[in-house]
Amino acid sequence: MFKKVYLLVLLAAALACKAAPSKPIKVSAADLVPDEKQVIVCKKIAELIANYNYKKVELNDSVSTIIYNRYIKSLDENHSYFLASDVKEFEKYKTVLDDDIKEGNLNDAFYIFNVFQKRYIEHVTYQLAQLNKSFDFDSKETFIYDRDKLPWPASQKDMDAMWTQRVKYDLLNLKLASPDMVKNKATLKKRYESLLSQANKLSNQDVFQYFMDAFTEAIDPHTNYFNPSNAANFNIEMSRQVEGIGASLLSENEYVTIKTVVPGGPADKSKQISIDDRIVGVAQGKDGEFQNIVGWRVENAIAIIRGTKGTTVRLEILPAGTSAGGKPKIVEMVREKIILKDQSAKKEIRTYNSNGKSVKIGVISIPAFYIDYNDYKAGNPNYKSTTHDVKILLDSLKQENVDGVVIDLRENGGGSLMEAIELTGLFIKSGPVVQVRDTKDQVDVEKDEDTSITYSGPLGILVDRFSASASEIFSGAIQDYGRGLILGTQTYGKGSVQNAIDLDRVLGSPIRDKINQLAGTKKAGAVSTGSQSTYGQLNLTIAKFYRVSGNSTQHKGVTPDIQFPSLIPLDKYGEDTEPSAMPFDVIEKSDFTKAGDFTSVLPQLKKMHDQRMTTSDSYKYMLEDIADFKKRDTENSVTLNEAELKKQRDTDEEKALVRNNLRRVALGLPALKKGDKKPKDEDLDFVKREVGQVMTDYISLGSKFTSVTTQ
């Protein structure tokens, strides 16, 4: 006991020089409060951003207002939870959040969240109470579901009226599927109770994440803080690998439930784990104590089930179908490194006809520019990465004698800058790939030094609005070198470089260890308790990248050589829609030698593509889909009259069936009847098909239109 008191005194002394935040305002007995870790992290992030962020932004009252607006929007964008009086009261914080952040004072941010949480629980509880009432579904009534442009409700009466309509709308949706209102109300009650349960599981980490998001994104869209669990997930995304048991988990009815098992992983090899088994307890090592995890949030459970490769974890399992009172079985496993193959680069071959000749186009889909940094730093030559995976796929496609290759980067948001450079090197002899300008305006030219070329044949790069960052470095370099055709829609426009900062390393161990000792999370001789850090991670914008041509991709992205209409609204998504984004600019070009030139061939390829589109039903339907989306995007309300809504839904369903069948027939697939399930793995990707056709056109025209100097 004395030791614990001593540690408390020591910790207080260590933090005495830190901020002395104002006293928190009480909202309810269930208030969430910040902890010492978050106070330390908040101040450190403010310091790092002030000193090292590429954008020199002073944290002042003006920025404070932006942070405030972002924070309120993140909590209640639809103006459905706060009362107008709540927001009026919060306005006093508009110009103080900058000072709060500098001082590590999180009480104001937590107060706003606790009010939100109180309102949220009140409204869901109110919804539950409304299920005891009867509703008239014959009245002429309209529910406004999109309220972001409307004011916050002025009174509790207005708020109750809105949520009553929401319950009526939820019930009406169920009633259109089944007339059994007793069953429908039971279904809705279970849904609302689940919402309450999830709300009550929120922690101070969630609040801190919301507030830090508002802060960092007010500075620039890509400086981001990740709390420990989000940091772990981010790094799994980056490496496409995870150390654990090889199973995906979901929370169902208060139980952490196994939903998939990775073939060959520890869970699979145990032969004792099946889909829908429930995990009720977790213990570390062969002798560790079991922690009961019933009712836990799934991410908290995942944190202690994951862990360092080679360590042991034991699970208490209730097999699927066993009653809650059944005796669990104990399964012991040694954690392993699991490669997430479904999230890695993949290939396929598509065949086209060109004047009676068969043309094979290999398509490699790359979901992200990933790399296992730990393996790379450790010197493992077989570390997992995008470039390594794609090189293997390219070698395989060459063995299958493809005539051309398409790299599909749609919805690839980027990742490792190094991987973008390495991947470019697979297609060019050598030379600069990207220029990087730092905070001191010094420009570093990143080059491909390897003179070998993995693939030298016809190349196309398919991009869309969500192709960003590393995708834009790669596609921009391929375009500048004249090495391949860029096809699709204008890319996102993210031209900034982030450095991932492990805050555990920055903040050091003395204070962290003392905090962890007091929290009871570190015990002498304990084995791995999971894969999470203590303080989390900051991805800090430290530089801006430029193409070898000198153009930044910032704001403008990469413009394709042959453009397709965008199914993704360009006015809603993209760097140019972000208020805090950096502008486009240009620096001097790099000294590089082009590999080819498509100037002569592009007009002919565009003409051939346009001619196909004038008679393409698939293209026509895509344009209609875009128009329909724009029309639906302007709607913000729905009728609560059963007959009217049923008629509207029936009409929409019939129209959708007809439209889908027209699309299917246009792609050479059989039409479906109402109620039929779509066959798995069907090729409904018209854009990918047409891109392959453009590549076939290019191949059929011959190399006389392209001057290739390095291949």
Side-chain angles (χ1 to χ4, degrees):
M1 178 67 185
F2 172 77
K3 184 178 180 182
K4 197 164 187 176
V5 171
Y6 172 75
L7 281 171
L8 280 168
V9 172
L10 188 64
L11 179 61
L15 299 176
C17 60
K18 310 295 181 186
S22 59
K23 291 183 179 179
I25 302 173
K26 195 75 173 174
V27 176
S28 72
D31 279 359
L32 294 170
V33 295
D35 58 36
E36 290 293 353
K37 294 180 192 176
Q38 292 160 349
V39 170
I40 294 169
V41 169
C42 180
K43 294 179 69 175
K44 178 53 68 174
I45 288 176
E47 179 187 322
L48 290 168
I49 287 176
N51 293 329
Y52 303 109
N53 195 65
Y54 186 84
K55 281 181 71 179
K56 308 295 192 295
V57 178
E58 181 185 356
L59 195 52
N60 54 25
D61 288 355
S62 176
V63 174
S64 180
T65 300
I66 297 171
I67 296 169
Y68 167 83
N69 290 333
R70 279 184 171 273
Y71 189 45
I72 295 297
K73 184 177 181 180
S74 70
L75 297 176
D76 190 14
E77 182 174 8
N78 204 41
H79 296 187
S80 299
Y81 296 100
F82 287 133
L83 289 165
S85 57
D86 294 329
V87 180
K88 182 71 175 175
E89 187 210 352
F90 296 155
E91 288 182 354
K92 64 188 177 186
Y93 301 118
K94 267 189 176 180
T95 57
V96 302
L97 292 179
D98 58 323
D99 299 316
D100 285 348
I101 290 168
K102 293 173 188 174
E103 297 166 2
N105 177 14
L106 296 167
N107 289 330
D108 296 335
F110 270 71
Y111 170 68
I112 292 172
F113 186 90
N114 285 328
V115 172
F116 165 76
Q117 177 81 328
K118 180 174 181 288
R119 296 292 184 225
Y120 182 92
I121 290 173
E122 285 173 350
H123 300 331
V124 179
T125 303
Y126 177 82
Q127 285 180 286
L128 279 166
Q130 299 311 295
L131 294 176
N132 296 323
K133 300 180 180 179
S134 298
F135 290 91
D136 178 11
F137 295 108
D138 295 323
S139 61
K140 298 286 184 179
E141 193 177 357
T142 300
F143 171 53
I144 300 175
Y145 56 83
D146 188 352
R147 295 180 43 83
D148 65 332
K149 293 181 175 60
L150 297 177
W152 275 277
S155 66
Q156 189 61 49
K157 182 180 178 182
D158 293 339
M159 183 70 82
D160 289 347
M162 182 192 73
W163 281 102
T164 298
Q165 283 193 321
R166 177 56 191 260
V167 176
K168 185 175 181 179
Y169 176 64
D170 289 344
L171 273 175
L172 181 53
N173 269 322
L174 293 173
K175 190 171 188 291
L176 290 177
S178 168
D180 188 342
M181 288 304 289
V182 173
K183 183 180 178 181
N184 290 339
K185 287 189 175 184
T187 298
L188 213 49
K189 180 182 179 183
K190 188 176 180 181
R191 185 188 304 173
Y192 293 159
E193 286 174 342
S194 176
L195 291 175
L196 277 180
S197 174
Q198 293 302 311
N200 287 321
K201 290 176 184 175
L202 290 176
S203 70
N204 62 2
Q205 286 280 32
D206 298 297
V207 186
F208 189 55
Q209 184 70 68
Y210 274 119
F211 185 57
M212 285 296 101
D213 284 346
F215 165 37
T216 58
E217 290 172 14
I219 305 301
D220 86 79
H222 308 293
T223 288
N224 301 113
Y225 168 71
F226 298 104
N227 68 28
S229 63
N230 289 338
N233 290 331
F234 173 84
N235 290 312
I236 288 168
E237 283 292 310
M238 281 296 293
S239 67
R240 289 306 193 262
Q241 295 184 131
V242 60
E243 293 184 355
I245 65 169
S248 66
L249 310 175
L250 283 178
S251 179
E252 292 183 347
N253 300 321
E254 299 298 301
Y255 284 99
V256 175
T257 307
I258 292 171
K259 301 312 292 182
T260 63
V261 174
V262 177
D268 181 41
K269 287 191 289 191
S270 75
K271 306 298 181 185
Q272 298 183 70
I273 288 179
S274 303
I275 306 304
D276 291 332
D277 283 354
R278 292 152 292 168
I279 304 173
V280 296
V282 181
Q284 307 300 331
K286 293 181 177 293
D287 305 313
E289 240 179 80
F290 274 101
Q291 282 182 278
N292 186 288
I293 64 168
V294 176
W296 278 32
R297 290 177 60 180
V298 69
E299 47 270 49
N300 293 340
I302 288 171
I304 64 171
I305 294 171
R306 284 178 188 159
T308 308
K309 180 179 70 172
T311 57
T312 298
V313 63
R314 289 178 295 133
L315 306 181
E316 285 185 326
I317 301 286
L318 272 181
T322 304
S323 68
K327 183 179 179 180
K329 65 179 180 181
I330 296 176
V331 181
E332 181 179 307
M333 287 171 281
V334 176
R335 298 176 175 105
E336 296 178 7
K337 181 174 286 188
I338 309 297
I339 296 176
L340 305 177
K341 293 181 180 179
D342 288 345
Q343 300 173 30
S344 303
K346 297 177 182 177
K347 73 174 175 69
E348 62 177 299
I349 295 178
R350 308 171 79 92
T351 304
Y352 295 84
N353 184 284
S354 176
N355 297 321
K357 179 186 175 183
S358 178
V359 176
K360 292 164 69 175
I361 303 295
V363 180
I364 298 177
S365 300
I366 304 177
F369 286 79
Y370 49 87
I371 180 174
D372 185 338
Y373 279 114
N374 292 331
D375 264 13
Y376 169 71
K377 290 176 182 176
N380 180 356
N382 298 315
Y383 63 89
K384 174 79 171 174
S385 77
T386 297
T387 304
H388 283 182
D389 288 351
V390 171
K391 188 177 187 305
I392 292 170
L393 296 177
L394 285 170
D395 288 340
S396 171
L397 289 174
K398 286 192 296 184
Q399 289 177 6
E400 296 180 74
N401 298 315
V402 297
D403 299 289
V405 169
V406 171
I407 303 294
D408 188 350
L409 296 178
R410 287 177 298 174
E411 298 189 26
N412 182 324
S416 167
L417 175 64
M418 184 180 86
E419 281 305 299
I421 298 165
E422 295 284 327
L423 187 69
T424 306
L426 299 183
F427 302 98
I428 65 171
K429 187 173 183 180
S430 63
V433 174
V434 62
Q435 304 184 83
V436 181
R437 184 167 69 179
D438 64 18
T439 55
K440 297 178 182 178
D441 289 334
Q442 294 179 336
V443 177
D444 181 36
V445 180
E446 300 287 349
K447 299 179 179 180
D448 164 43
E449 306 282 2
D450 186 353
T451 57
S452 65
I453 299 173
T454 299
Y455 177 75
S456 60
L459 178 67
I461 313 297
L462 175 55
V463 295
D464 68 4
R465 188 59 161 177
F466 289 151
S467 303
S469 193
S471 290
E472 294 171 299
I473 294 174
F474 172 72
S475 56
I478 294 296
Q479 188 176 55
D480 289 339
Y481 272 89
R483 176 60 190 88
L485 291 163
I486 312 300
L487 310 114
T489 58
Q490 180 189 13
T491 60
Y492 194 88
K494 178 187 176 294
S496 56
V497 182
Q498 284 70 43
N499 185 28
I501 300 172
D502 180 351
L503 293 174
D504 283 21
R505 292 177 179 270
V506 172
L507 290 165
S509 61
I511 294 176
R512 179 182 71 231
D513 290 345
K514 292 181 180 70
I515 291 174
N516 285 333
Q517 280 181 304
L518 293 176
T521 59
K522 294 283 183 183
K523 299 178 182 179
V527 293
S528 171
T529 57
S531 56
Q532 291 190 7
S533 60
T534 299
Y535 292 119
Q537 175 176 307
L538 175 67
N539 282 13
L540 184 68
T541 299
I542 58 166
K544 196 172 181 181
F545 66 72
Y546 297 80
R547 294 166 60 162
V548 292
S549 63
N551 288 332
S552 170
T553 58
Q554 178 64 21
H555 243 261
K556 293 188 177 183
V558 175
T559 302
D561 299 310
I562 294 181
Q563 297 194 50
F564 288 72
S566 179
L567 290 167
I568 303 165
L570 301 184
D571 60 339
K572 289 185 176 294
Y573 303 98
E575 193 79 1
D576 54 3
T577 68
E578 294 283 354
S580 60
M582 294 184 289
F584 168 85
D585 62 340
V586 179
I587 62 173
E588 289 187 17
K589 64 175 287 189
S590 294
D591 183 15
F592 70 100
T593 302
K594 294 190 71 170
D597 189 347
F598 293 95
T599 303
S600 299
V601 75
L602 272 176
Q604 295 188 56
L605 290 177
K606 288 177 182 177
K607 182 179 179 181
M608 296 167 79
H609 165 69
D610 290 342
Q611 286 176 342
R612 269 194 306 276
M613 295 307 95
T614 58
T615 59
S616 169
D617 288 335
S618 293
Y619 185 75
K620 180 180 73 173
Y621 300 144
M622 184 168 73
L623 294 178
E624 290 176 358
D625 287 343
I626 294 171
D628 284 349
F629 177 84
K630 288 181 178 178
K631 180 182 177 183
R632 289 195 303 271
D633 197 44
T634 62
E635 299 171 354
N636 67 351
S637 63
V638 63
T639 180
L640 294 179
N641 179 279
E642 182 178 2
E644 290 180 2
L645 186 59
K646 186 177 186 308
K647 182 180 179 181
Q648 178 184 320
R649 292 274 173 85
D650 288 345
T651 301
D652 290 345
E653 187 178 339
E654 185 177 342
K655 181 180 176 182
L657 179 63
V658 171
R659 173 70 64 82
N660 285 333
N661 278 332
L662 287 172
R663 287 194 198 94
R664 294 177 64 82
V665 171
L667 292 171
L669 298 170
L672 297 176
K673 296 178 181 177
K674 185 176 180 180
D676 287 350
K677 289 185 178 180
K678 294 180 182 178
K680 290 183 179 180
D681 303 323
E682 273 193 330
D683 179 15
L684 299 174
D685 193 338
F686 160 69
V687 172
K688 190 190 288 184
R689 285 191 178 199
E690 174 57 21
V691 164
Q693 186 62 60
V694 172
M695 290 300 298
T696 301
D697 291 342
Y698 169 65
I699 292 166
S700 70
L701 290 173
S703 60
K704 62 182 180 180
F705 293 101
T706 307
S707 173
V708 180
T709 59
T710 63
Q711 277 69 45

